[in-house]
């Protein structure tokens, strides 16, 4: 309902089965990986049959979109049945040029029921993608970083912070890892600017050595995710200690949101806490790829109403978690992984940029013709 599979001209997006044969191998592998990622969440709520419905699975550039959800009924579709129906019949392995024997093995094991868990399927596909990229994608991605921060027209103090520092603009060598982070100090709490600056400092100290080492060593996706979580938890702990040392209570406690991106080879990792966001903007579309940690989003995910309606609540934007508000034992950073298959702007921003659908309005102007990782954070009151 919030992101219908309809293009800006009002036309329904094309079906996956109709565009499959014309796509590049890396894009086909990306679509298969997205299907595997969708299986778990959809099966949990009894609509996994949607992925076996040819009319339901649509394509917008490199992204899969669902036109509608189809209930499983009394006999939920199994991973084995889905593999036979959707992959081995409608998306044949021969069409994935360069997939190699490993992908053929995955198809066979899926149809035989040997692969019986979506996370195992996803991990196997990621290995195929990495192997294909190493063997066939000669040109490594090139990232450009740009940052900008501004307090806005009404505030005298900037509550935000970012890394690289404000007004940085740099082009990295092909294949060089890139990372950016945006923190938005909580304006209603004293010391928001201190909290955001402290979070940047701690995250930088944790991640910079790790990123430098990536030039010589490539950790597993799980190791990368754990590293990002640890950096965020360390920042939370530093702010928590500062709050306790200064005897800050309730709204006097300083806090901040955080969203960070780490790009390695053809993968982008996002991690966040709070309502600072990340968007992926391409020449054909623009998508919000993070979910806010606020009451409206929480209630929408629990099925209490549609997000647009829940935004009308008086406390809709109240955060359910932020750095500095409590012990790291209860902090739950979100970490997501995305495959980079097309030129795009990855925009990281505070809520001053994302409020009032401002990003959607300016998306066409930000869609450029080269891979571009951008952090842009500001407050516009």
């Amino acid at each position: 309902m919030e992101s219908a599979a309809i293009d800006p001209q009002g036309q329904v997006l094309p079906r996956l089965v109709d565009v499959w044969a014309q796509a590049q191998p890396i894009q086909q592998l990306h679509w298969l990986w997205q299907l595997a990622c969708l299986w778990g969440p959809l099966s949990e709520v009894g609509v996994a049959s949607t992925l076996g419905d040819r009319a339901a699975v649509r394509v917008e550039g490199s992204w899969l979109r669902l036109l509608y959800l189809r209930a499983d009924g009394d006999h939920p579709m199994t991973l084995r049945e889905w593999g036979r129906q959707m992959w081995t019949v409608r998306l044949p392995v021969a069409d994935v040029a360069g997939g190699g024997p490993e992908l053929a093995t995955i198809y066979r094991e899926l149809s035989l029921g040997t692969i019986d868990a979506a996370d195992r399927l996803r991990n196997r596909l990621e290995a195929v993608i990495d192997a294909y990229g190493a063997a066939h994608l000669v040109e490594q991605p090139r990232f450009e970083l740009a940052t900008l921060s501004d307090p806005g027209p009404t505030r005298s103090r900037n509550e935000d912070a970012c890394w690289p520092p404000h007004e940085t603009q740099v082009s990295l060598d092909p294949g060089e890892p890139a990372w950016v982070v945006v923190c938005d100090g909580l304006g209603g709490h004293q010391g928001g600017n201190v909290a955001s600056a402290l979070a940047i400092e701690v995250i930088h100290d944790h991640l910079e050595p790790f990123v430098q080492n990536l030039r010589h060593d490539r950790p597993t996706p799980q190791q990368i995710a754990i590293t990002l979580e640890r950096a965020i938890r360390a920042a939370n702990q530093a702010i928590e200690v500062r709050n306790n040392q200064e005897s800050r209570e309730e709204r006097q406690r300083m806090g901040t949101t955080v969203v960070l991106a780490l790009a390695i080879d053809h993968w982008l990792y996002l991690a966040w806490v709070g309502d600072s966001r990340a968007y992926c903007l391409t020449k054909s579309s623009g998508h919000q790829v993070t979910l806010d940690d606020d009451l409206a989003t929480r209630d929408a995910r629990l099925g209490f109403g549609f997000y647009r309606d829940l935004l009308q609540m008086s406390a809709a934007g109240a955060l359910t978690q932020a750095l500095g508000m409590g012990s790291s034992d209860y902090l739950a950073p979100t970490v997501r992984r995305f495959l980079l298959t097309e030129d795009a702007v990855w925009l990281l921003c505070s809520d001053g940029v994302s409020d009032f659908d401002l990003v959607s309005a300016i998306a066409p102007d930000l869609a450029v013709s080269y891979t571009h990782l951008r952090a842009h954070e500001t407050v516009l009151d």
Side-chain angles (χ1 to χ4, degrees):
M1 294 294 293
E2 286 297 323
S3 187
I6 299 172
D7 66 20
Q9 289 71 44
Q11 302 298 314
V12 177
L13 296 173
R15 303 185 305 174
L16 174 62
V17 292
D18 294 333
V19 301
W20 177 264
Q22 291 75 40
Q24 295 295 317
I26 188 64
Q27 182 57 75
Q28 293 176 332
L29 290 170
H30 187 208
W31 286 333
L32 291 180
W33 177 74
Q34 289 181 67
L35 288 170
C37 291
L38 284 169
W39 174 265
L42 294 185
S43 62
E44 288 180 4
V45 292
V47 293
S49 299
T50 306
L51 299 181
D53 189 329
R54 300 179 64 173
V57 183
R58 303 282 171 154
V59 172
E60 183 179 29
S62 62
W63 299 86
L64 290 185
R65 305 283 294 279
L66 299 180
L67 185 62
Y68 52 81
L69 298 176
R70 178 179 175 181
D72 291 337
D74 297 332
H75 303 285
M77 177 179 287
T78 65
L79 198 60
R80 179 180 181 181
E81 293 170 340
W82 176 53
R84 287 180 172 178
Q85 177 184 1
M86 189 67 178
W87 291 18
T88 59
V89 177
R90 296 173 182 168
L91 303 178
V93 64
D95 286 348
V96 186
E102 175 62 18
L103 188 57
T105 300
I106 291 175
Y107 270 80
R108 183 172 63 255
E109 292 182 4
L110 188 65
S111 62
L112 293 174
T114 306
I115 299 178
D116 56 0
D119 57 346
R120 290 184 56 198
L121 174 61
R122 185 177 64 251
N123 293 337
R124 293 282 294 276
L125 284 171
E126 288 175 359
V128 173
I129 290 171
D130 289 336
Y132 178 85
H136 299 280
L137 301 179
V138 179
E139 183 178 355
Q140 289 291 318
R142 180 177 63 86
F143 302 107
E144 295 190 2
L145 310 181
T147 60
L148 179 65
S149 181
D150 191 281
T154 62
R155 290 186 179 177
S156 59
R157 184 178 65 189
N158 195 345
E159 300 280 350
D160 300 349
C162 60
W163 179 266
H166 168 58
E167 292 191 334
T168 293
Q169 188 167 352
V170 60
S171 296
L172 302 178
D173 294 332
E176 185 175 357
W179 72 282
V180 294
V181 58
V182 169
C183 289
D184 179 6
L186 301 184
H189 297 63
Q190 296 184 14
N193 60 320
V194 177
S196 60
L198 181 56
I200 292 290
E201 178 184 349
V202 174
I203 291 173
H204 174 270
D205 291 345
H206 275 72
L207 286 189
E208 186 62 22
F210 178 78
V211 172
Q212 293 299 326
N213 192 55
L214 290 174
R215 295 179 171 88
H216 314 289
D217 181 42
R218 284 293 190 265
T220 65
Q222 292 76 17
Q223 291 171 329
I224 295 172
I226 290 173
T227 299
L228 299 182
E229 286 190 20
R230 286 177 176 172
I232 291 176
R233 292 181 188 278
N236 180 80
Q237 182 65 21
I239 301 172
E240 176 72 2
V241 169
R242 184 75 170 268
N243 278 329
N244 293 338
Q245 289 175 342
E246 299 178 2
S247 300
R248 292 174 177 265
E249 299 293 340
E250 298 182 351
R251 290 193 62 82
Q252 290 184 344
R253 296 179 71 83
M254 55 186 176
T256 183
T257 67
V258 61
V259 57
L260 67 88
L262 172 62
I264 307 174
D265 296 329
H266 296 279
W267 293 96
L268 179 81
Y269 294 81
L270 286 174
W272 70 91
V273 172
D275 60 357
S276 290
R277 294 179 178 179
Y279 292 83
C280 178
L281 309 172
T282 69
K283 290 182 287 187
S284 60
S285 64
H287 295 280
Q288 178 185 337
V289 291
T290 57
L291 287 176
D292 297 345
D293 290 320
D294 63 13
L295 290 179
T297 301
R298 184 199 65 182
D299 288 353
R301 297 180 73 177
L302 291 173
F304 294 152
F306 291 112
Y307 181 69
R308 292 285 175 178
D309 296 334
L310 293 170
L311 284 177
Q312 306 307 313
M313 297 188 306
S314 58
L319 296 182
T320 55
Q321 63 172 354
L323 302 190
M325 296 296 100
S327 170
S328 294
D329 294 337
Y330 302 101
L331 191 70
T334 304
V335 180
R336 293 287 183 268
R337 190 184 189 203
F338 301 86
L339 184 63
L340 304 175
T341 60
E342 61 179 329
D343 297 338
V345 172
W346 288 82
L347 172 69
L348 278 64
C349 63
S350 64
D351 60 356
V353 171
S354 61
D355 282 350
F356 309 111
D357 295 322
L358 180 58
V359 174
S360 300
I362 65 175
D365 296 328
L366 291 176
V368 295
S369 59
Y370 51 87
T371 302
H372 196 159
L373 178 63
R374 168 171 293 181
H376 179 175
E377 57 83 20
T378 185
V379 174
L380 301 177
D381 291 329

